[in-house]
Amino acid sequence: MKAELNLKQRQIKNTSYLAKWTLIWLFTLAICSFGLTLIWDRSALISGFFIIINLAAGVGMILANKRYLQGMDELMQKIHLSAMGFTLGAVLVGGLAYTNLQLSGLIDFKAQIPDLMFLMGAVYLISVYVLNKHYCAGDE
């Protein structure tokens, strides 16, 4: 009979699992991005193959993230899901405003995906930090 893992053991296991899938996804993304010009000289067939591999790794990372969230206690789930909600809203509102600034000529550089990725990361990290402070202030 298999022993049930406690919360801390489950968090360590799920964090490790998520880290592995994230690294696999990042590695396949790097291959797709840099291999195009450095390794296979823009071959559409090879590029398509590695993009499919990258998408599969992305699905694995998404499922690992789901497992990671499900392994948390209710308070941590609430904090992370709220942070994800803030992040979605900020990227949607901020991204569209940024695009409209560019389209209207108020800024003269082009809005790009990496800018949104930076906004997502920053909003998510700040949201988790602030929500942790808010909900866990008396736990110290």
Side-chain angles (χ1 to χ4, degrees), residues 31-54:
I31 290 172
C32 287
S33 300
F34 300 116
L36 180 67
T37 55
L38 298 176
I39 301 172
W40 57 82
D41 197 30
R42 300 194 179 275
S43 166
L45 183 64
I46 297 172
S47 293
F49 172 76
F50 280 106
I51 290 169
I52 290 169
I53 297 298
N54 178 250

PDB file of all heavy atoms in Angstrom, residues 31-54:
ATOM      1  N   ILE A  31      15.110  25.653 -29.286  1.00  0.00           N
ATOM      2  CA  ILE A  31      15.427  24.922 -30.524  1.00  0.00           C
ATOM      3  C   ILE A  31      14.618  25.488 -31.686  1.00  0.00           C
ATOM      4  O   ILE A  31      15.159  25.726 -32.773  1.00  0.00           O
ATOM      5  CB  ILE A  31      15.174  23.415 -30.350  1.00  0.00           C
ATOM      6  CG1 ILE A  31      16.208  22.808 -29.407  1.00  0.00           C
ATOM      7  CG2 ILE A  31      15.208  22.693 -31.696  1.00  0.00           C
ATOM      8  CD1 ILE A  31      15.924  21.374 -29.024  1.00  0.00           C
ATOM      9  N   CYS A  32      13.322  25.735 -31.453  1.00  0.00           N
ATOM     10  CA  CYS A  32      12.479  26.303 -32.522  1.00  0.00           C
ATOM     11  C   CYS A  32      12.966  27.687 -32.931  1.00  0.00           C
ATOM     12  O   CYS A  32      12.999  28.021 -34.116  1.00  0.00           O
ATOM     13  CB  CYS A  32      11.027  26.408 -32.051  1.00  0.00           C
ATOM     14  SG  CYS A  32      10.173  24.852 -31.936  1.00  0.00           S
ATOM     15  N   SER A  33      13.340  28.495 -31.962  1.00  0.00           N
ATOM     16  CA  SER A  33      13.713  29.884 -32.237  1.00  0.00           C
ATOM     17  C   SER A  33      15.075  30.008 -32.897  1.00  0.00           C
ATOM     18  O   SER A  33      15.239  30.752 -33.862  1.00  0.00           O
ATOM     19  CB  SER A  33      13.711  30.692 -30.935  1.00  0.00           C
ATOM     20  OG  SER A  33      12.436  30.673 -30.354  1.00  0.00           O
ATOM     21  N   PHE A  34      16.060  29.295 -32.363  1.00  0.00           N
ATOM     22  CA  PHE A  34      17.423  29.460 -32.850  1.00  0.00           C
ATOM     23  C   PHE A  34      17.819  28.430 -33.902  1.00  0.00           C
ATOM     24  O   PHE A  34      18.684  28.701 -34.734  1.00  0.00           O
ATOM     25  CB  PHE A  34      18.409  29.427 -31.677  1.00  0.00           C
ATOM     26  CG  PHE A  34      18.146  30.508 -30.675  1.00  0.00           C
ATOM     27  CD1 PHE A  34      17.767  30.187 -29.384  1.00  0.00           C
ATOM     28  CD2 PHE A  34      18.256  31.844 -31.027  1.00  0.00           C
ATOM     29  CE1 PHE A  34      17.515  31.185 -28.453  1.00  0.00           C
ATOM     30  CE2 PHE A  34      18.004  32.846 -30.103  1.00  0.00           C
ATOM     31  CZ  PHE A  34      17.633  32.519 -28.816  1.00  0.00           C
ATOM     32  N   GLY A  35      17.203  27.261 -33.868  1.00  0.00           N
ATOM     33  CA  GLY A  35      17.526  26.229 -34.839  1.00  0.00           C
ATOM     34  C   GLY A  35      17.169  26.626 -36.254  1.00  0.00           C
ATOM     35  O   GLY A  35      17.828  26.218 -37.213  1.00  0.00           O
ATOM     36  N   LEU A  36      16.137  27.435 -36.374  1.00  0.00           N
ATOM     37  CA  LEU A  36      15.651  27.891 -37.677  1.00  0.00           C
ATOM     38  C   LEU A  36      16.776  28.467 -38.533  1.00  0.00           C
ATOM     39  O   LEU A  36      16.893  28.143 -39.716  1.00  0.00           O
ATOM     40  CB  LEU A  36      14.542  28.930 -37.466  1.00  0.00           C
ATOM     41  CG  LEU A  36      13.887  29.531 -38.680  1.00  0.00           C
ATOM     42  CD1 LEU A  36      13.082  28.469 -39.411  1.00  0.00           C
ATOM     43  CD2 LEU A  36      12.982  30.683 -38.266  1.00  0.00           C
ATOM     44  N   THR A  37      17.621  29.285 -37.947  1.00  0.00           N
ATOM     45  CA  THR A  37      18.703  29.900 -38.722  1.00  0.00           C
ATOM     46  C   THR A  37      20.069  29.300 -38.429  1.00  0.00           C
ATOM     47  O   THR A  37      20.933  29.297 -39.294  1.00  0.00           O
ATOM     48  CB  THR A  37      18.769  31.419 -38.443  1.00  0.00           C
ATOM     49  OG1 THR A  37      18.882  31.626 -37.031  1.00  0.00           O
ATOM     50  CG2 THR A  37      17.539  32.122 -38.967  1.00  0.00           C
ATOM     51  N   LEU A  38      20.264  28.762 -37.219  1.00  0.00           N
ATOM     52  CA  LEU A  38      21.594  28.280 -36.843  1.00  0.00           C
ATOM     53  C   LEU A  38      21.838  26.810 -37.172  1.00  0.00           C
ATOM     54  O   LEU A  38      22.986  26.402 -37.327  1.00  0.00           O
ATOM     55  CB  LEU A  38      21.824  28.498 -35.341  1.00  0.00           C
ATOM     56  CG  LEU A  38      21.796  29.951 -34.862  1.00  0.00           C
ATOM     57  CD1 LEU A  38      21.946  30.013 -33.356  1.00  0.00           C
ATOM     58  CD2 LEU A  38      22.882  30.764 -35.551  1.00  0.00           C
ATOM     59  N   ILE A  39      20.772  26.009 -37.265  1.00  0.00           N
ATOM     60  CA  ILE A  39      20.969  24.566 -37.440  1.00  0.00           C
ATOM     61  C   ILE A  39      20.426  24.067 -38.777  1.00  0.00           C
ATOM     62  O   ILE A  39      21.135  23.447 -39.554  1.00  0.00           O
ATOM     63  CB  ILE A  39      20.340  23.773 -36.269  1.00  0.00           C
ATOM     64  CG1 ILE A  39      20.968  24.210 -34.933  1.00  0.00           C
ATOM     65  CG2 ILE A  39      20.508  22.274 -36.473  1.00  0.00           C
ATOM     66  CD1 ILE A  39      20.295  23.646 -33.708  1.00  0.00           C
ATOM     67  N   TRP A  40      19.162  24.334 -39.074  1.00  0.00           N
ATOM     68  CA  TRP A  40      18.589  23.700 -40.270  1.00  0.00           C
ATOM     69  C   TRP A  40      18.229  24.667 -41.398  1.00  0.00           C
ATOM     70  O   TRP A  40      17.513  24.315 -42.317  1.00  0.00           O
ATOM     71  CB  TRP A  40      17.385  22.823 -39.919  1.00  0.00           C
ATOM     72  CG  TRP A  40      16.263  23.516 -39.204  1.00  0.00           C
ATOM     73  CD1 TRP A  40      15.271  24.267 -39.745  1.00  0.00           C
ATOM     74  CD2 TRP A  40      16.011  23.465 -37.811  1.00  0.00           C
ATOM     75  NE1 TRP A  40      14.428  24.720 -38.775  1.00  0.00           N
ATOM     76  CE2 TRP A  40      14.849  24.224 -37.563  1.00  0.00           C
ATOM     77  CE3 TRP A  40      16.642  22.861 -36.733  1.00  0.00           C
ATOM     78  CZ2 TRP A  40      14.324  24.397 -36.288  1.00  0.00           C
ATOM     79  CZ3 TRP A  40      16.105  23.031 -35.466  1.00  0.00           C
ATOM     80  CH2 TRP A  40      14.963  23.785 -35.265  1.00  0.00           C
ATOM     81  N   ASP A  41      18.745  25.859 -41.391  1.00  0.00           N
ATOM     82  CA  ASP A  41      18.655  26.801 -42.500  1.00  0.00           C
ATOM     83  C   ASP A  41      17.240  26.947 -43.068  1.00  0.00           C
ATOM     84  O   ASP A  41      17.000  26.739 -44.258  1.00  0.00           O
ATOM     85  CB  ASP A  41      19.647  26.413 -43.595  1.00  0.00           C
ATOM     86  CG  ASP A  41      19.900  27.558 -44.574  1.00  0.00           C
ATOM     87  OD1 ASP A  41      19.814  28.728 -44.148  1.00  0.00           O
ATOM     88  OD2 ASP A  41      20.139  27.266 -45.757  1.00  0.00           O
ATOM     89  N   ARG A  42      16.294  27.247 -42.194  1.00  0.00           N
ATOM     90  CA  ARG A  42      14.910  27.584 -42.557  1.00  0.00           C
ATOM     91  C   ARG A  42      14.137  26.480 -43.278  1.00  0.00           C
ATOM     92  O   ARG A  42      13.249  26.761 -44.090  1.00  0.00           O
ATOM     93  CB  ARG A  42      14.861  28.873 -43.363  1.00  0.00           C
ATOM     94  CG  ARG A  42      15.431  30.056 -42.619  1.00  0.00           C
ATOM     95  CD  ARG A  42      15.074  31.366 -43.277  1.00  0.00           C
ATOM     96  NE  ARG A  42      15.607  32.474 -42.540  1.00  0.00           N
ATOM     97  CZ  ARG A  42      15.019  33.052 -41.493  1.00  0.00           C
ATOM     98  NH1 ARG A  42      13.876  32.619 -41.083  1.00  0.00           N
ATOM     99  NH2 ARG A  42      15.591  34.055 -40.884  1.00  0.00           N
ATOM    100  N   SER A  43      14.424  25.239 -43.007  1.00  0.00           N
ATOM    101  CA  SER A  43      13.660  24.138 -43.602  1.00  0.00           C
ATOM    102  C   SER A  43      12.272  24.097 -42.954  1.00  0.00           C
ATOM    103  O   SER A  43      12.140  23.942 -41.733  1.00  0.00           O
ATOM    104  CB  SER A  43      14.378  22.810 -43.364  1.00  0.00           C
ATOM    105  OG  SER A  43      13.510  21.737 -43.639  1.00  0.00           O
ATOM    106  N   ALA A  44      11.241  24.230 -43.764  1.00  0.00           N
ATOM    107  CA  ALA A  44       9.869  24.249 -43.249  1.00  0.00           C
ATOM    108  C   ALA A  44       9.491  22.919 -42.594  1.00  0.00           C
ATOM    109  O   ALA A  44       8.799  22.895 -41.574  1.00  0.00           O
ATOM    110  CB  ALA A  44       8.895  24.578 -44.378  1.00  0.00           C
ATOM    111  N   LEU A  45       9.946  21.813 -43.154  1.00  0.00           N
ATOM    112  CA  LEU A  45       9.622  20.499 -42.610  1.00  0.00           C
ATOM    113  C   LEU A  45      10.223  20.316 -41.209  1.00  0.00           C
ATOM    114  O   LEU A  45       9.529  19.904 -40.271  1.00  0.00           O
ATOM    115  CB  LEU A  45      10.135  19.400 -43.551  1.00  0.00           C
ATOM    116  CG  LEU A  45       9.811  17.969 -43.135  1.00  0.00           C
ATOM    117  CD1 LEU A  45       8.306  17.733 -43.136  1.00  0.00           C
ATOM    118  CD2 LEU A  45      10.498  16.988 -44.072  1.00  0.00           C
ATOM    119  N   ILE A  46      11.496  20.646 -41.069  1.00  0.00           N
ATOM    120  CA  ILE A  46      12.150  20.516 -39.763  1.00  0.00           C
ATOM    121  C   ILE A  46      11.544  21.508 -38.775  1.00  0.00           C
ATOM    122  O   ILE A  46      11.297  21.168 -37.611  1.00  0.00           O
ATOM    123  CB  ILE A  46      13.675  20.699 -39.895  1.00  0.00           C
ATOM    124  CG1 ILE A  46      14.256  19.596 -40.785  1.00  0.00           C
ATOM    125  CG2 ILE A  46      14.349  20.692 -38.531  1.00  0.00           C
ATOM    126  CD1 ILE A  46      15.719  19.783 -41.133  1.00  0.00           C
ATOM    127  N   SER A  47      11.284  22.726 -39.219  1.00  0.00           N
ATOM    128  CA  SER A  47      10.663  23.729 -38.340  1.00  0.00           C
ATOM    129  C   SER A  47       9.301  23.253 -37.859  1.00  0.00           C
ATOM    130  O   SER A  47       8.983  23.352 -36.664  1.00  0.00           O
ATOM    131  CB  SER A  47      10.503  25.064 -39.071  1.00  0.00           C
ATOM    132  OG  SER A  47      11.756  25.626 -39.340  1.00  0.00           O
ATOM    133  N   GLY A  48       8.495  22.727 -38.765  1.00  0.00           N
ATOM    134  CA  GLY A  48       7.175  22.227 -38.394  1.00  0.00           C
ATOM    135  C   GLY A  48       7.257  21.108 -37.370  1.00  0.00           C
ATOM    136  O   GLY A  48       6.487  21.065 -36.404  1.00  0.00           O
ATOM    137  N   PHE A  49       8.228  20.196 -37.566  1.00  0.00           N
ATOM    138  CA  PHE A  49       8.426  19.091 -36.619  1.00  0.00           C
ATOM    139  C   PHE A  49       8.744  19.623 -35.220  1.00  0.00           C
ATOM    140  O   PHE A  49       8.142  19.204 -34.229  1.00  0.00           O
ATOM    141  CB  PHE A  49       9.556  18.177 -37.116  1.00  0.00           C
ATOM    142  CG  PHE A  49       9.952  17.128 -36.127  1.00  0.00           C
ATOM    143  CD1 PHE A  49       9.160  16.007 -35.926  1.00  0.00           C
ATOM    144  CD2 PHE A  49      11.118  17.274 -35.381  1.00  0.00           C
ATOM    145  CE1 PHE A  49       9.523  15.040 -35.004  1.00  0.00           C
ATOM    146  CE2 PHE A  49      11.491  16.316 -34.457  1.00  0.00           C
ATOM    147  CZ  PHE A  49      10.690  15.200 -34.265  1.00  0.00           C
ATOM    148  N   PHE A  50       9.688  20.561 -35.131  1.00  0.00           N
ATOM    149  CA  PHE A  50      10.064  21.077 -33.820  1.00  0.00           C
ATOM    150  C   PHE A  50       8.983  21.961 -33.197  1.00  0.00           C
ATOM    151  O   PHE A  50       8.859  22.025 -31.975  1.00  0.00           O
ATOM    152  CB  PHE A  50      11.411  21.795 -33.869  1.00  0.00           C
ATOM    153  CG  PHE A  50      12.566  20.834 -33.848  1.00  0.00           C
ATOM    154  CD1 PHE A  50      13.288  20.584 -34.993  1.00  0.00           C
ATOM    155  CD2 PHE A  50      12.897  20.152 -32.691  1.00  0.00           C
ATOM    156  CE1 PHE A  50      14.346  19.680 -34.992  1.00  0.00           C
ATOM    157  CE2 PHE A  50      13.945  19.247 -32.670  1.00  0.00           C
ATOM    158  CZ  PHE A  50      14.669  19.010 -33.826  1.00  0.00           C
ATOM    159  N   ILE A  51       8.181  22.607 -34.012  1.00  0.00           N
ATOM    160  CA  ILE A  51       7.049  23.379 -33.472  1.00  0.00           C
ATOM    161  C   ILE A  51       6.028  22.427 -32.859  1.00  0.00           C
ATOM    162  O   ILE A  51       5.481  22.698 -31.784  1.00  0.00           O
ATOM    163  CB  ILE A  51       6.434  24.287 -34.553  1.00  0.00           C
ATOM    164  CG1 ILE A  51       7.407  25.425 -34.882  1.00  0.00           C
ATOM    165  CG2 ILE A  51       5.084  24.835 -34.106  1.00  0.00           C
ATOM    166  CD1 ILE A  51       7.044  26.238 -36.098  1.00  0.00           C
ATOM    167  N   ILE A  52       5.775  21.299 -33.498  1.00  0.00           N
ATOM    168  CA  ILE A  52       4.864  20.293 -32.927  1.00  0.00           C
ATOM    169  C   ILE A  52       5.429  19.755 -31.613  1.00  0.00           C
ATOM    170  O   ILE A  52       4.697  19.593 -30.625  1.00  0.00           O
ATOM    171  CB  ILE A  52       4.591  19.168 -33.946  1.00  0.00           C
ATOM    172  CG1 ILE A  52       3.729  19.713 -35.081  1.00  0.00           C
ATOM    173  CG2 ILE A  52       3.917  17.974 -33.274  1.00  0.00           C
ATOM    174  CD1 ILE A  52       3.594  18.788 -36.271  1.00  0.00           C
ATOM    175  N   ILE A  53       6.732  19.494 -31.569  1.00  0.00           N
ATOM    176  CA  ILE A  53       7.382  19.037 -30.337  1.00  0.00           C
ATOM    177  C   ILE A  53       7.228  20.103 -29.252  1.00  0.00           C
ATOM    178  O   ILE A  53       6.916  19.801 -28.091  1.00  0.00           O
ATOM    179  CB  ILE A  53       8.875  18.716 -30.580  1.00  0.00           C
ATOM    180  CG1 ILE A  53       9.040  17.570 -31.578  1.00  0.00           C
ATOM    181  CG2 ILE A  53       9.602  18.415 -29.272  1.00  0.00           C
ATOM    182  CD1 ILE A  53       8.450  16.255 -31.123  1.00  0.00           C
ATOM    183  N   ASN A  54       7.429  21.370 -29.619  1.00  0.00           N
ATOM    184  CA  ASN A  54       7.283  22.465 -28.663  1.00  0.00           C
ATOM    185  C   ASN A  54       5.852  22.570 -28.151  1.00  0.00           C
ATOM    186  O   ASN A  54       5.624  22.796 -26.950  1.00  0.00           O
ATOM    187  CB  ASN A  54       7.730  23.784 -29.304  1.00  0.00           C
ATOM    188  CG  ASN A  54       7.562  24.960 -28.374  1.00  0.00           C
ATOM    189  OD1 ASN A  54       6.702  25.816 -28.599  1.00  0.00           O
ATOM    190  ND2 ASN A  54       8.361  25.012 -27.327  1.00  0.00           N
TER     191      ASN A  54
END
